[in-house]
Amino acid sequence: MEDPPRRPGELSFRGRVRLFLGGAAVLGALLLWGLAGLPDYRSFTPLYGQLVNKDAISERSTTAVVTAVNFDYRGFDTLGEEFILFAAVLVLALLLRRLADERRGPLADSPRRVHTTSALVRLTALGLVGPTVLLAVYITAHGHLTPGGGFQGGVIAATALLLVFLGSDYEHVQRLRPKPLVETAKAGGALAFVLIGLAGLIVSGAFLENFLPLGHPGDLVSAGTIPLLSLAVGIEVSGGFVLLLSDFLTQLLVLHRKPDR
Amino acid sequence: MSFLPYLVAVWICLVGLWGIVTSRHLMHSIVCLSVVQSSTYVLLLAVGYRRDSAAPVFVDIPFGTPAVDPVVQALTLTDVVVGGAVTALLLAIAVQIEKHLETLDPDELDPLRD
């Protein structure tokens, strides 16, 4: 590969590669040395995981143990995870705001031209919206029974809106986007998670402790607070991802620079 | 070979770092960072694997069947979510860099340019 022009004192491309190869050899050797100390992965049985596998059904009426770990045993970590996503979407909206030298306008005079969508793509996209929403509801509602839960379901729900954008003109549809509703959903989901946790503190004596009847394992309505927390996360994640996706689309299709700066 | 999953994780990590170091485009760097992060998925899932075990979902299998570790799987889910948040933020920063400096080549980004 050719070298681009350098500023004085800057490392050349070849020098950078040599520096990396040296560092990577050391890092790789250290990683392998550390990982060699781990027990054989096929027979290693971490006690905590096996205990959770043994107790999740009798203690929490949850057949999907990963969901039980996420929303009950380690629910507090999920609270942090949820707020990482919340903060990330918030900062993203701040980064992708309309700048002083930009204006909203039609696509025609934009330097970035986007190909028009064919009728077949539009039809397929719009036809997929319904099944996608149904799948999102199913994945979220069955999180405590089969693999799934609020994070997965929320992202799928947000892609349903992306399909609407794909099957129509974004410039027109984005005006219909209920932005206050989406923002309320995002914040409300995060708030609901905290409120359910506080209810556990008041009723059962510990934050995020279960306080609802557990029901029969395998039933749709069972596992106490786990489906509720999953639903709260699902609402927050879908709201957050709708904001995230539409902010990027707005950058591409709606905002452009004023002609004379 | 019982060490193979760990070798794969180390290889994915290093090959992603190689991509970041030799990158000529910020979008490419961001994808490479996602590759580095995916090495942790392989590592976590390999640590939790157990021979002759089922997935930790006791719907179709009787309760008490040996199952792989659910805790590392939950950690991997957290990892994926945080990875998505990081990628989205970096992409937003790349959009703004392109707008202000009209380039996405990291070699042309001068830290002293105003």
Side-chain angles (χ1 to χ4, degrees), chain B residues 47-79:
Chain B
V47 165
Y49 181 76
R50 205 178 154 200
R51 197 201 298 261
D52 299 326
S53 298
V57 179
F58 300 101
V59 178
D60 298 327
I61 54 173
F63 170 61
T65 315
V68 298
D69 194 347
V71 179
V72 285
Q73 294 197 5
L75 277 175
T76 309
L77 177 65
T78 308
D79 205 351

Side-chain angles (χ1 to χ4, degrees), chain A residues 20-210:
Chain A
F20 169 78
L21 288 178
V26 175
L27 176 68
L30 281 176
L31 281 175
L32 288 176
W33 183 38
L35 291 173
L38 285 178
D40 184 337
Y41 77 98
R42 290 166 300 188
S43 53
F44 179 51
T45 52
L47 195 58
Y48 187 71
Q50 297 313 316
L51 278 177
V52 172
N53 268 342
K54 196 161 69 64
D55 293 336
I57 290 190
S58 53
E59 282 184 3
R60 301 290 192 270
S61 284
T62 311
T63 49
V65 184
V66 178
T67 313
V69 172
N70 261 324
F71 293 112
D72 196 305
Y73 293 106
R74 304 300 315 155
F76 194 67
D77 299 347
T78 305
L79 179 73
E81 179 187 356
E82 199 193 23
F83 276 89
I84 287 176
L85 194 67
F86 188 85
V89 174
L90 216 64
V91 176
L92 186 120
L94 197 65
L95 278 170
L96 296 184
R97 70 192 183 282
R98 188 174 64 84
L99 300 176
D101 60 345
E102 285 173 336
R103 64 177 182 86
R104 296 178 164 271
L107 196 58
D109 54 344
S110 165
R112 298 171 177 142
R113 295 302 297 266
V114 177
H115 295 286
T116 48
T117 321
S118 75
L120 193 62
V121 170
R122 281 168 189 247
L123 203 66
T124 314
L126 291 178
L128 277 172
V129 171
T132 309
V133 171
L134 187 67
L135 180 69
V137 172
Y138 171 82
I139 294 278
T140 310
H142 287 70
H144 56 297
L145 305 176
T146 48
F151 286 105
Q152 297 90 325
V155 175
I156 296 171
T159 54
L161 197 77
L162 198 64
L163 284 170
V164 173
F165 292 155
L166 186 66
S168 52
D169 294 311
Y170 179 72
E171 302 148 71
H172 300 131
V173 177
Q174 59 110 14
R175 290 199 196 109
L176 304 176
R177 178 170 54 111
K179 200 165 181 183
L181 182 71
V182 173
E183 282 172 348
T184 312
K186 174 176 173 288
L191 181 69
F193 198 101
V194 177
L195 288 181
I196 295 169
L198 286 176
L201 182 65
I202 293 164
V203 179
S204 302
F207 188 64
L208 284 170
E209 177 84 36
N210 188 36

Side-chain angles (χ1 to χ4, degrees), chain A residues 204-259:
Chain A
S204 302
F207 188 64
L208 284 170
E209 177 84 36
N210 188 36
F211 60 92
L212 292 173
L214 288 172
H216 183 258
D219 284 356
L220 186 58
V221 180
S222 63
T225 50
I226 292 176
L228 286 182
L229 291 171
S230 178
L231 183 66
V233 167
I235 292 170
E236 198 246 321
V237 170
S238 60
F241 268 80
V242 165
L243 283 179
L244 190 151
L245 293 170
S246 54
D247 271 353
F248 276 116
L249 282 171
T250 304
Q251 285 292 319
L252 179 68
L253 297 175
V254 178
L255 289 181
H256 22 261
R257 245 176 216 183
K258 288 174 185 161

Side-chain angles (χ1 to χ4, degrees), chain A residues 1-4 6 10-19, chain B residues 18 21-24 107:
Chain A
M1 278 182 264
E2 85 292 352
D3 258 12
R6 298 279 130 194
E10 199 176 58
L11 197 61
S12 73
F13 188 78
R14 255 189 217 99
R16 197 199 302 172
V17 167
R18 271 199 288 273
L19 191 67
Chain B
W18 163 260
V21 168
T22 58
S23 177
R24 292 278 168 88
D107 283 332

